[in-house]
Amino acid sequence: DAKTTQPNSMESNEEEPVHLPCNHSTISGTDYIHWYRQLPSQGPEYVIHGLTSNVNNRMASLAIAEDRKSSTLILHRATLRDAAVYYCAEGGATNKLIFGTGTLLAVQP
Amino acid sequence: GAVVSQHPSRVICKSGTSVKIECRSLDFQATTMFWYRQFPKKSLMLMATSNEGSKATYEQGVEKDKFLINHASLTLSTLTVTSAHPEDSSFYICSARDPLAGGPRQETQYFGPGTRLLVL
């Protein structure tokens, strides 16, 4: 079975950077690495995704290890609105997404 | 763009009854949609892949006769929980990908807001 693991929880201070890790121990060579976040009783919201190279968008940055066995989601300046459960996931362009265990991010003012 | 809706947002039913949940892609056509189930404080677990015009593909351990999926049009997939029991109470979420999207959106899945099912 695929093992996509994340720390259960992390804490950050407002305005500081946050690095959320994910281990992709059984990822296939063609699967993309995706990150979503979820607020209580809502559907997941897309954050970012990539294949091999690091990626940046207006929400976050994604750093992918050279062997693709791990990735890190980087929030450059955490705000209170960034408090959520963050999920990494693996999946191809037409394939299903398999979600990681999720990290509950708390942001302190 | 790329908005997915679900209806109803929450439903309460009696044990033994059936419940239908709709998933719609509002501004794009989706040949494939996905259904997930999420228990409290747990991650999303994929239940099945819904294919427009053909049978759904179920994940191991998911009963196809209990969770009926119909994908009759390019914008609508339905999940029917038949003979629901309290253990079926959960948060059901669908997602879809826009196959005509260009660039990074091509690999992105967009999720609906979820449906909270409570079986009494």
Side-chain angles (χ1 to χ4, degrees):
Chain A
D1 290 344
K3 295 289 185 183
T4 309
T5 57
Q6 302 174 248
N8 287 335
S9 62
M10 291 185 67
E11 199 170 286
S12 171
N13 294 319
E14 204 175 5
E15 303 285 308
E16 291 186 356
V18 183
H19 291 233
L20 297 163
C22 178
N23 288 321
H24 308 274
S25 60
T26 58
I27 190 170
S28 75
T30 57
D31 277 353
Y32 283 79
I33 294 171
H34 303 254
W35 281 83
Y36 287 80
R37 68 183 184 184
Q38 186 181 31
L39 295 173
S41 296
Q42 294 188 24
E45 175 192 23
Y46 169 79
V47 178
I48 200 167
H49 77 283
L51 184 61
T52 55
S53 304
N54 295 344
V55 184
N56 301 294
N57 66 20
R58 62 177 180 81
M59 290 182 73
S61 294
L62 174 60
I64 300 174
E66 196 170 333
D67 63 2
R68 297 193 353 111
K69 297 299 184 184
S70 65
S71 69
T72 303
L73 178 71
I74 303 164
L75 306 179
H76 295 286
R77 292 179 64 193
T79 68
L80 297 179
R81 288 181 294 180
D82 290 324
V85 178
Y86 285 79
Y87 291 101
C88 56
E90 300 164 7
T94 58
N95 290 342
K96 55 197 179 187
L97 285 177
I98 303 301
F99 280 76
T101 51
T103 298
L104 175 62
L105 175 65
V107 181
Q108 303 299 326
Chain B
V3 178
V4 176
S5 71
Q6 282 184 242
H7 178 80
S9 58
R10 57 178 59 218
V11 56
I12 302 173
C13 69
K14 293 182 179 180
S15 185
T17 61
S18 295
V19 175
K20 180 185 285 188
I21 302 169
E22 294 184 347
C23 176
R24 293 182 185 272
S25 55
L26 297 186
D27 51 0
F28 65 99
Q29 294 182 328
T31 53
T32 304
M33 291 183 175
F34 302 90
W35 286 96
Y36 294 82
R37 180 167 53 180
Q38 185 177 33
F39 292 107
K41 299 190 182 302
K42 298 294 185 182
S43 183
L44 284 78
M45 291 188 59
L46 180 68
M47 299 176 67
T49 302
S50 172
N51 304 299
E52 187 269 336
S54 65
K55 291 182 180 180
T57 305
Y58 290 83
E59 294 300 299
Q60 190 173 11
V62 177
E63 300 175 57
K64 62 180 181 180
D65 294 330
K66 179 169 184 62
F67 298 100
L68 300 179
I69 292 173
N70 184 278
H71 195 152
S73 78
L74 287 171
T75 59
L76 173 64
S77 174
T78 59
L79 169 68
T80 301
V81 183
T82 62
S83 187
H85 291 285
E87 57 266 31
D88 298 323
S89 299
S90 189
F91 193 50
Y92 292 86
I93 312 170
C94 69
S95 71
R97 190 182 63 86
D98 183 354
L100 300 181
R105 285 183 55 198
Q106 195 170 20
E107 295 91 30
T108 303
Q109 283 193 27
Y110 298 93
F111 285 81
T115 297
R116 177 80 57 194
L117 170 63
L118 177 60
V119 185
L120 301 177

